[in-house]
Amino acid sequence: MLRASLSKPFLVLAFLEALIFSFRADSLFWHIAMLLSLLSLAGFILIHWLRRNKAWALLILPPILILLGLRSQFHFNRNHRSDLKEKMELCSVMATVLNSENSQERLKLTIHFHHQGRNYKTLIQTAKESLPEQYEPGDQILISGMLAKIQACSPYDEYQYDNYLLDRHYQYKNLGPVEIEAHHKQGRLTFQNWACRSKSVLEEKIIKMIRDERISGVLLALLLGDKGKVDHTIRDQFMNTGTAHILAVSGLHLGILYSIIRTLLQLLTSKFTLLKSSQSLITLIVIWSFAAVTGLSSAVVRAALMFTTLELGRQLKRDSDPINLLGCSAFFMMFFNPCILFDVGFQLSVVAVGSIILFEPAIYRQIRAGSGWQDYFIKIVSVSLAVQILITPVSMYYFRSFPVYFILSNLVWIPLSFILMTSCMAMLLLLPCPQEILRMISSLTVALCDGGLQFFDFILRLPFSNLQNLYIFPEQVFLFMLSLTLILAWIQQGFKKYLKAGLILFSLTGLIYPLRSYLTANSNEIVIYKNNANRILEIKSGRILYSIMKPIARSTAPSLYAAHQSVAQIQNIKVPETKAWLSELTTPKGRKVRILYNTPEPGQSKFFDILYLENQKYFNPNVYDCGEWDLIILSNKNSKTFRKKAFLYFHEMKIQTVLLEEGTCTTKF
């Protein structure tokens, strides 16, 4: 296995890079990761030297690790500054549009501006009616409005949207309406402008040819990666049937385009010999142009990099190892943007491709039969099974669901997506032809796509079509994937020690849940976090959780905190939608707790009293000198003056006080 790792240097480098980039550059864990990486490499080189192997090439790895550490430090200092103001008011500030996204109802603008000696990247979200103009990358705008600093999400927030923005290096987002006082179009044509305009032109052509909005939305997502016009019901159908990868432009779509280009070029080179030497160049130009038009998502960039290295290997007449190509693309993507490591799309893309490369050949050998169309469908089945082996634990961890009939859905929609993409390309290429031909192709395309959507309705009506509210822990994901990798090594190399180790690790995954339940059975804590813009207060006593939230924030599914703590019972405490209220509860062990929401009543010795203050503007000490509470929670929705004076006052009274900022607050009681 050691020799096999040496034959895949980019895979090893990508793994070490992920280890270094997985921690913040200012944390102790980052320094520990760097130290462990260097020590492991030093030991690695020493072992090879003692065995008298020619391992001097490994001496280049420590400088590479140091370079990765410096890259992480530079990236953190530049894009994740901690000295940003909570709010920023813009008054007629000149900004540059970096990106523009239009959905059916909203407009998203990514802008860059220079203010008070610093550069900022900001997200502007507003209704399309308020900013009806069309904006393109490179446009100059004069903007006014209030901005709010983007804060890290709570780990128990199901949406994690602010973390998504932080990983893309946004610092601020608009707080309320904004006003664009002037708009100057970019006169010079850049590659980004060309990609944006090309996408707009292609969208207009497809919408004009496909009148059905439901079908045109699906086709725009398939061909151009624009999911903003996809109906929400259809989007849920793709998610619940295990075919969401088809709706998002990914390596599958780029692979279809790659096969079409290679086939066409091979046909043309038989007549035009001059094209033979430039096949790779033409292929890469088309591939990267398509990637730019579709928005350069992480899955598309990963696939484009793999095809680039594949074509480079062909030109150099070198054999390429698919898993090493995957490691190479992941390495350069993480080096360019270390935050992409935390992108769910990047993780799913890498894991899915790795699972196909590792497991598909073994599965195909077991089930292959016949030839022609029969073999084609067997390959779809083997790929669908292979991709689910490693992606299932990851998708369950993030989405807490599992599509039971994913094979049936993929058997229909993988070949159907190829047909739909080909028909869309044919319509665009045949625009100068008579309208009767275009209408015939468009009618066929609509009928096929509508049939595929009706097949989704059939799948979702089957019993247990989609298992919901599944939760696995990160340790289980790691052990599950490691055990499967060892079992694969046993299948390929025949060493029983790999099988034994894999089975032991697989059995350990089942012990994680009871172990966590045992460790958290006797803990009592209060946690406050934000979930989908709602502040949620939960009190855990042993394995029972009391959830206190407003009715508007209530959800039928267990919260992520409840799943993470392995609670056995959840009790929802109803509270009124008023400015002040009082709620009492008694734990199974007889501990009584009172939550005083903006109700500064005197504390009582038989209760654990929690005074929760929110939406307060002015601090009056006389109001709060009447009681001794056990815990004071100061929300960030209070005025800045109130929070400062209240914190100092309660601190002098020696009462435990928590300043509730963005994120999660956890307190033992």
Side-chain angles (χ1 to χ4, degrees), residues 8 18 23 35 40 65 96 190 209 220 276 289 308 359 408 427 466 470 501 537 582 666:
K8 301 172 178 59
F23 302 107
L35 181 62
S40 62
L65 283 179
T96 303
T190 62
M209 290 183 289
L220 289 174
K276 190 172 184 180
S289 298
T308 301
F359 293 96
L408 294 177
M427 284 190 293
N466 188 261
L470 304 175
L537 170 65
L582 184 150
T666 304

mmCIF file of all heavy atoms in Angstrom, residues 8 18 23 35 40 65 96 190 209 220 276 289 308 359 408 427 466 470 501 537 582 666:
data_model
loop_
_atom_site.group_PDB
_atom_site.id
_atom_site.type_symbol
_atom_site.label_atom_id
_atom_site.label_comp_id
_atom_site.label_asym_id
_atom_site.label_seq_id
_atom_site.Cartn_x
_atom_site.Cartn_y
_atom_site.Cartn_z
ATOM 1 N N LYS A 8 0.993 7.501 -6.676
ATOM 2 C CA LYS A 8 -0.058 8.509 -6.838
ATOM 3 C C LYS A 8 0.320 9.745 -6.024
ATOM 4 O O LYS A 8 -0.300 10.047 -4.998
ATOM 5 C CB LYS A 8 -1.408 7.951 -6.390
ATOM 6 C CG LYS A 8 -1.835 6.700 -7.161
ATOM 7 C CD LYS A 8 -3.062 6.079 -6.551
ATOM 8 C CE LYS A 8 -3.519 4.860 -7.343
ATOM 9 N NZ LYS A 8 -2.503 3.804 -7.425
ATOM 10 N N ALA A 18 -5.367 19.001 2.304
ATOM 11 C CA ALA A 18 -6.660 19.067 2.982
ATOM 12 C C ALA A 18 -6.484 19.066 4.495
ATOM 13 O O ALA A 18 -7.216 19.750 5.218
ATOM 14 C CB ALA A 18 -7.540 17.887 2.545
ATOM 15 N N PHE A 23 -7.935 23.447 9.069
ATOM 16 C CA PHE A 23 -7.934 24.240 10.296
ATOM 17 C C PHE A 23 -7.608 25.687 9.963
ATOM 18 O O PHE A 23 -6.885 25.970 9.010
ATOM 19 C CB PHE A 23 -6.921 23.703 11.302
ATOM 20 C CG PHE A 23 -7.141 22.270 11.689
ATOM 21 C CD1 PHE A 23 -6.294 21.278 11.219
ATOM 22 C CD2 PHE A 23 -8.203 21.907 12.494
ATOM 23 C CE1 PHE A 23 -6.489 19.959 11.562
ATOM 24 C CE2 PHE A 23 -8.409 20.589 12.835
ATOM 25 C CZ PHE A 23 -7.549 19.609 12.376
ATOM 26 N N LEU A 35 2.809 20.337 12.124
ATOM 27 C CA LEU A 35 3.874 19.583 12.790
ATOM 28 C C LEU A 35 3.743 18.089 12.501
ATOM 29 O O LEU A 35 4.736 17.416 12.191
ATOM 30 C CB LEU A 35 3.817 19.840 14.302
ATOM 31 C CG LEU A 35 4.886 19.132 15.151
ATOM 32 C CD1 LEU A 35 6.282 19.590 14.747
ATOM 33 C CD2 LEU A 35 4.651 19.397 16.637
ATOM 34 N N SER A 40 5.482 13.168 10.038
ATOM 35 C CA SER A 40 5.137 11.948 9.307
ATOM 36 C C SER A 40 5.977 11.812 8.039
ATOM 37 O O SER A 40 6.425 10.717 7.694
ATOM 38 C CB SER A 40 3.652 11.948 8.961
ATOM 39 O OG SER A 40 3.345 13.040 8.122
ATOM 40 N N LEU A 65 5.097 21.295 1.801
ATOM 41 C CA LEU A 65 4.225 21.469 2.967
ATOM 42 C C LEU A 65 4.380 22.856 3.575
ATOM 43 O O LEU A 65 3.401 23.481 4.002
ATOM 44 C CB LEU A 65 4.526 20.395 4.007
ATOM 45 C CG LEU A 65 3.971 19.002 3.739
ATOM 46 C CD1 LEU A 65 4.370 18.057 4.849
ATOM 47 C CD2 LEU A 65 2.462 19.053 3.615
ATOM 48 N N THR A 96 -17.767 47.851 -8.338
ATOM 49 C CA THR A 96 -17.692 47.080 -9.581
ATOM 50 C C THR A 96 -18.501 45.803 -9.428
ATOM 51 O O THR A 96 -18.363 45.094 -8.421
ATOM 52 C CB THR A 96 -16.239 46.729 -9.920
ATOM 53 O OG1 THR A 96 -15.476 47.933 -10.010
ATOM 54 C CG2 THR A 96 -16.148 45.978 -11.233
ATOM 55 N N THR A 190 -14.552 41.651 -21.912
ATOM 56 C CA THR A 190 -13.642 40.738 -21.236
ATOM 57 C C THR A 190 -14.173 39.307 -21.368
ATOM 58 O O THR A 190 -15.311 39.093 -21.809
ATOM 59 C CB THR A 190 -13.506 41.098 -19.752
ATOM 60 O OG1 THR A 190 -14.796 40.965 -19.121
ATOM 61 C CG2 THR A 190 -13.015 42.539 -19.583
ATOM 62 N N MET A 209 -37.679 28.957 -27.751
ATOM 63 C CA MET A 209 -38.035 27.717 -28.448
ATOM 64 C C MET A 209 -38.885 26.791 -27.581
ATOM 65 O O MET A 209 -39.701 26.033 -28.098
ATOM 66 C CB MET A 209 -36.764 26.995 -28.898
ATOM 67 C CG MET A 209 -36.021 27.698 -30.028
ATOM 68 S SD MET A 209 -34.576 26.784 -30.607
ATOM 69 C CE MET A 209 -33.467 26.976 -29.214
ATOM 70 N N LEU A 220 -32.513 24.650 -18.957
ATOM 71 C CA LEU A 220 -31.513 25.669 -18.636
ATOM 72 C C LEU A 220 -30.566 25.171 -17.548
ATOM 73 O O LEU A 220 -29.362 25.451 -17.586
ATOM 74 C CB LEU A 220 -32.201 26.959 -18.192
ATOM 75 C CG LEU A 220 -32.928 27.756 -19.278
ATOM 76 C CD1 LEU A 220 -33.676 28.929 -18.668
ATOM 77 C CD2 LEU A 220 -31.948 28.244 -20.326
ATOM 78 N N LYS A 276 -5.979 17.175 -36.813
ATOM 79 C CA LYS A 276 -5.496 16.079 -35.969
ATOM 80 C C LYS A 276 -4.539 16.556 -34.896
ATOM 81 O O LYS A 276 -4.596 16.121 -33.743
ATOM 82 C CB LYS A 276 -4.822 15.022 -36.849
ATOM 83 C CG LYS A 276 -4.498 13.740 -36.105
ATOM 84 C CD LYS A 276 -4.019 12.659 -37.059
ATOM 85 C CE LYS A 276 -3.784 11.358 -36.304
ATOM 86 N NZ LYS A 276 -3.330 10.284 -37.200
ATOM 87 N N SER A 289 -14.604 26.954 -22.054
ATOM 88 C CA SER A 289 -15.625 27.952 -22.403
ATOM 89 C C SER A 289 -16.974 27.542 -21.818
ATOM 90 O O SER A 289 -17.705 28.374 -21.253
ATOM 91 C CB SER A 289 -15.732 28.096 -23.922
ATOM 92 O OG SER A 289 -14.517 28.556 -24.476
ATOM 93 N N THR A 308 -8.282 18.359 -18.635
ATOM 94 C CA THR A 308 -7.075 19.077 -19.065
ATOM 95 C C THR A 308 -5.833 18.222 -18.855
ATOM 96 O O THR A 308 -4.979 18.090 -19.749
ATOM 97 C CB THR A 308 -6.938 20.401 -18.298
ATOM 98 O OG1 THR A 308 -8.102 21.201 -18.536
ATOM 99 C CG2 THR A 308 -5.711 21.170 -18.762
ATOM 100 N N PHE A 359 -14.603 1.722 -7.252
ATOM 101 C CA PHE A 359 -15.511 0.588 -7.093
ATOM 102 C C PHE A 359 -16.205 0.150 -8.379
ATOM 103 O O PHE A 359 -16.674 -0.986 -8.454
ATOM 104 C CB PHE A 359 -16.579 0.929 -6.033
ATOM 105 C CG PHE A 359 -16.024 1.085 -4.650
ATOM 106 C CD1 PHE A 359 -15.710 2.334 -4.148
ATOM 107 C CD2 PHE A 359 -15.804 -0.022 -3.857
ATOM 108 C CE1 PHE A 359 -15.195 2.486 -2.873
ATOM 109 C CE2 PHE A 359 -15.293 0.116 -2.578
ATOM 110 C CZ PHE A 359 -14.980 1.376 -2.087
ATOM 111 N N LEU A 408 -33.252 3.143 -10.212
ATOM 112 C CA LEU A 408 -34.298 3.310 -11.223
ATOM 113 C C LEU A 408 -34.287 4.722 -11.792
ATOM 114 O O LEU A 408 -34.407 4.914 -13.007
ATOM 115 C CB LEU A 408 -35.667 2.997 -10.605
ATOM 116 C CG LEU A 408 -35.915 1.551 -10.162
ATOM 117 C CD1 LEU A 408 -37.285 1.427 -9.519
ATOM 118 C CD2 LEU A 408 -35.796 0.610 -11.346
ATOM 119 N N MET A 427 -30.840 22.180 -31.448
ATOM 120 C CA MET A 427 -31.727 23.316 -31.709
ATOM 121 C C MET A 427 -30.943 24.609 -31.853
ATOM 122 O O MET A 427 -31.239 25.447 -32.712
ATOM 123 C CB MET A 427 -32.755 23.440 -30.581
ATOM 124 C CG MET A 427 -33.872 22.417 -30.641
ATOM 125 S SD MET A 427 -35.205 22.771 -29.477
ATOM 126 C CE MET A 427 -34.380 22.500 -27.910
ATOM 127 N N ASN A 466 -38.206 7.729 -0.137
ATOM 128 C CA ASN A 466 -37.148 8.604 0.367
ATOM 129 C C ASN A 466 -37.158 8.571 1.885
ATOM 130 O O ASN A 466 -38.147 8.967 2.518
ATOM 131 C CB ASN A 466 -37.347 10.037 -0.141
ATOM 132 C CG ASN A 466 -36.176 10.936 0.184
ATOM 133 O OD1 ASN A 466 -36.208 11.689 1.146
ATOM 134 N ND2 ASN A 466 -35.125 10.856 -0.614
ATOM 135 N N LEU A 470 -32.518 11.075 8.719
ATOM 136 C CA LEU A 470 -31.407 10.186 9.061
ATOM 137 C C LEU A 470 -30.245 11.048 9.560
ATOM 138 O O LEU A 470 -30.006 12.135 9.047
ATOM 139 C CB LEU A 470 -30.971 9.374 7.843
ATOM 140 C CG LEU A 470 -32.060 8.539 7.161
ATOM 141 C CD1 LEU A 470 -31.508 7.892 5.903
ATOM 142 C CD2 LEU A 470 -32.605 7.478 8.105
ATOM 143 N N ALA A 501 -9.254 -5.657 9.013
ATOM 144 C CA ALA A 501 -9.241 -4.262 9.480
ATOM 145 C C ALA A 501 -10.494 -3.522 9.027
ATOM 146 O O ALA A 501 -11.092 -2.759 9.801
ATOM 147 C CB ALA A 501 -7.992 -3.557 8.960
ATOM 148 N N LEU A 537 -33.864 28.537 21.679
ATOM 149 C CA LEU A 537 -33.345 28.233 23.007
ATOM 150 C C LEU A 537 -33.749 26.810 23.359
ATOM 151 O O LEU A 537 -34.934 26.461 23.306
ATOM 152 C CB LEU A 537 -33.906 29.222 24.043
ATOM 153 C CG LEU A 537 -33.644 28.904 25.516
ATOM 154 C CD1 LEU A 537 -32.155 28.965 25.824
ATOM 155 C CD2 LEU A 537 -34.409 29.854 26.418
ATOM 156 N N LEU A 582 -43.032 34.434 30.560
ATOM 157 C CA LEU A 582 -42.366 33.603 31.566
ATOM 158 C C LEU A 582 -42.783 32.158 31.334
ATOM 159 O O LEU A 582 -43.960 31.871 31.126
ATOM 160 C CB LEU A 582 -42.737 34.064 32.973
ATOM 161 C CG LEU A 582 -42.045 33.371 34.161
ATOM 162 C CD1 LEU A 582 -41.920 34.339 35.326
ATOM 163 C CD2 LEU A 582 -42.799 32.127 34.622
ATOM 164 N N THR A 666 -23.399 27.990 24.497
ATOM 165 C CA THR A 666 -23.685 26.797 25.282
ATOM 166 C C THR A 666 -23.217 27.020 26.713
ATOM 167 O O THR A 666 -22.086 27.442 26.935
ATOM 168 C CB THR A 666 -22.987 25.557 24.695
ATOM 169 O OG1 THR A 666 -23.373 25.407 23.330
ATOM 170 C CG2 THR A 666 -23.374 24.308 25.460
#
